[in-house]
Amino acid sequence: MKSHGKFLKTGLLTVLCASAFSLPAVAQVKIGVVNSLSGNFAAFGQRYNTGMQVALEEINANGGINGEKLELITQDDRSDAQSALAALESLNKQGVPLIIGSYASGITGPMSKVATRQKLPLIVLGSADDSITKPGSKWVFRAKHNSTIVANVYFDYFDFLRKSNPDMKKVAVMHGNGAWPTSVSEEGVRQAEKRGYEVVGKQAYDQGTTDFRPILNKFRSANPDILLTSSYADDGIAIARQIKEVGLNTKVVAIDTASSMMSFIDQVGDKSENIVSAVSWSPDVKYEGTPELAKRLKEAAKEDPSFYEAEGYLALTVAADALRRAKSTDREKVREALAATNLKTPVTDVTFEEFDGFTGQNPIKSVIIQIQDGKHVTVFPENLASQKAKLSN
């Protein structure tokens, strides 16, 4: 009887195991993400991650990728190019059909070259340096803006203001020596000269600089109407404070990137009023679906969302759209689907085009946000603005 009982238990276990293995597996489509979740750029990487998670929930709630669940394999690049390349190689070996990454242009630039050699589609997450898509490659796609687009929207905005202030002609430019700030500032100088502005000062500074007063005092003697600064978070906070300390009075202060964060307003306080920044998206911009997306991003971020969360959402939304249309995880078919993208999202419309020497670049229209009464509001272009622009003095 004991032997028979043992047989029944063993037989039952075998049947249960067989039944378990015969159950249909949950199919999944996996894509790779290289993101800065630690190191100097972690604050930005976390925001991108929040946006991607909101998109991931939306994608899977709406049937995933043709009925298959989408899964992200995320690797931390530690805010370092070599770590990013190691992460890309790891994901490549896992056979993912595409990769999304990363934040800093100095990281994504090398990644784009390796992805091209490996014939692995890469969707740019946050990097905006022109060189990533100019000349670019057929394997690299960027839905967000680049430095040329950003510099142009600044000068479109300055031209708009100059219609009512025709004496606004003198520009001073300062920037960190990283790839992105340098790229924006160099294109800014080209646009200034092309559009008839007088560049009365141009100064680069080393990343990590904390005292900007020597530069700002030199600019003050030139009496510029516009100050265009391209900087990262800590730089921009110090610059905004020291502008007031040295008594530099300009009609327009643009502090690119840094001033677009709520933390900038919190730390700079009243000195942040009327400072502007160019962004790819703002919660109050007048696109279809923006209010609903802004609400979901705010719930996920537990604070007012920035364009960083929106760009994370955008990158993954573009990836999912291409995978659905490719109906395959074959990299060449995914690349072809990305190249044929024609997508409307609550962040921006997306097509990848070749123009002005760029390849795989979305000709996105950036917007200008301004800090008014302690909040970011969209002030340009007029058809997307929620408030009227103000001069600094």
Side-chain angles (χ1 to χ4, degrees):
M1 292 292 294
K2 288 181 181 179
S3 176
H4 182 62
K6 183 178 179 180
F7 173 80
L8 287 173
K9 290 178 182 178
T10 303
L12 180 60
L13 182 60
T14 301
V15 170
L16 288 173
C17 288
S19 298
F21 283 111
S22 67
L23 291 174
V26 177
Q28 292 180 331
V29 176
K30 299 180 181 181
I31 64 175
V33 176
V34 180
N35 190 16
S36 300
L37 299 177
S38 63
N40 293 336
F41 305 131
F44 303 105
Q46 293 291 348
R47 288 180 177 275
Y48 283 118
N49 186 62
T50 296
M52 284 187 284
Q53 290 302 317
V54 169
L56 184 64
E57 291 177 9
E58 179 182 296
I59 291 161
N60 284 328
N62 290 318
I65 308 300
N66 301 324
E68 298 184 11
K69 183 180 179 182
L70 179 62
E71 180 181 338
L72 305 185
I73 305 175
T74 301
Q75 299 218 2
D76 181 11
D77 63 30
R78 304 175 186 176
S79 302
D80 172 75
Q82 289 304 313
S83 297
L85 293 177
L88 187 149
E89 183 59 33
S90 171
L91 292 166
N92 182 41
K93 289 178 179 177
Q94 294 179 59
V96 295
L98 65 84
I99 286 180
I100 297 172
S102 180
Y103 168 64
S105 296
I107 294 174
T108 307
M111 282 177 57
S112 68
K113 292 179 173 60
V114 174
T116 296
R117 288 199 298 269
Q118 295 174 339
K119 297 184 177 179
L120 173 58
L122 172 67
I123 297 176
V124 175
L125 178 58
S127 305
D129 182 28
D130 277 356
S131 65
I132 294 171
T133 51
K134 188 178 185 178
S137 91
K138 67 177 186 178
W139 295 93
V140 179
F141 301 87
R142 177 160 53 193
K144 62 165 286 174
H145 57 212
N146 57 40
S147 49
T148 291
I149 291 171
V150 167
N152 271 272
V153 79
Y154 275 123
F155 278 88
D156 288 346
Y157 175 63
F158 301 156
D159 286 349
F160 168 72
L161 295 176
R162 194 159 61 164
K163 290 177 182 177
S164 304
N165 303 271
D167 59 340
M168 195 170 73
K169 297 177 181 178
K170 295 193 290 185
V171 180
V173 179
M174 63 186 292
H175 63 92
N177 59 7
W180 158 249
T182 300
S183 183
V184 170
S185 297
E186 288 178 348
E187 182 60 29
V189 170
R190 283 192 288 271
Q191 288 299 319
E193 293 171 347
K194 178 181 177 182
R195 301 184 192 215
Y197 292 84
E198 179 186 358
V199 179
V200 297
K202 182 178 184 295
Q203 183 67 56
Y205 61 82
D206 293 333
Q207 296 300 134
T209 298
T210 57
D211 186 1
F212 300 95
R213 284 168 289 196
I215 299 173
L216 296 171
N217 275 316
K218 185 169 69 173
F219 285 171
R220 185 184 61 177
S221 65
N223 195 29
D225 302 303
I226 299 166
L227 174 63
L228 174 58
T229 300
S230 186
S231 63
Y232 291 116
D234 292 340
D235 308 350
I237 290 168
I239 290 167
R241 289 170 174 166
Q242 291 167 22
I243 285 171
K244 298 297 184 183
E245 288 178 27
V246 305
L248 175 60
N249 295 314
T250 61
K251 293 182 174 66
V252 180
V253 176
I255 301 183
D256 191 72
T257 301
S259 72
S260 64
M261 305 286 286
M262 274 303 300
S263 57
F264 178 89
I265 299 174
D266 294 339
Q267 294 185 62
V268 178
D270 291 344
K271 295 183 179 68
S272 69
E273 281 294 301
N274 299 328
I275 291 175
V276 300
S277 183
V279 296
S280 54
W281 178 88
S282 181
D284 68 343
V285 73
K286 294 180 179 179
Y287 288 133
E288 184 178 348
T290 290
E292 293 80 10
L293 175 60
K295 180 180 178 181
R296 295 201 305 276
L297 292 175
K298 183 175 182 177
E299 289 171 352
K302 295 180 172 55
E303 62 180 326
D304 288 335
S306 67
F307 73 94
Y308 296 105
E309 287 91 350
E311 287 179 353
Y313 172 93
L314 178 65
L316 188 55
T317 299
V318 168
D321 171 69
L323 287 167
R324 289 189 192 104
R325 288 183 290 105
K327 298 180 180 178
S328 170
T329 55
D330 176 80
R331 291 176 178 178
E332 175 59 30
K333 291 182 179 178
V334 172
R335 186 201 66 76
E336 291 173 355
L338 280 166
T341 296
N342 188 354
L343 181 65
K344 289 186 177 295
T345 81
V347 179
T348 187
D349 296 347
V350 183
T351 58
F352 295 115
E353 300 179 13
E354 294 185 18
F355 62 97
D356 298 337
F358 290 99
T359 301
Q361 174 67 54
N362 184 27
I364 180 177
K365 300 295 184 184
S366 293
V367 300
I368 297 291
I369 57 173
Q370 184 172 49
I371 299 169
Q372 295 184 7
D373 299 323
K375 295 181 179 180
H376 290 109
V377 295
T378 302
V379 295
F380 184 82
E382 283 187 284
N383 65 315
L384 298 177
S386 64
Q387 299 293 333
K388 290 185 177 180
K390 298 179 180 180
L391 297 180
S392 294
N393 59 52

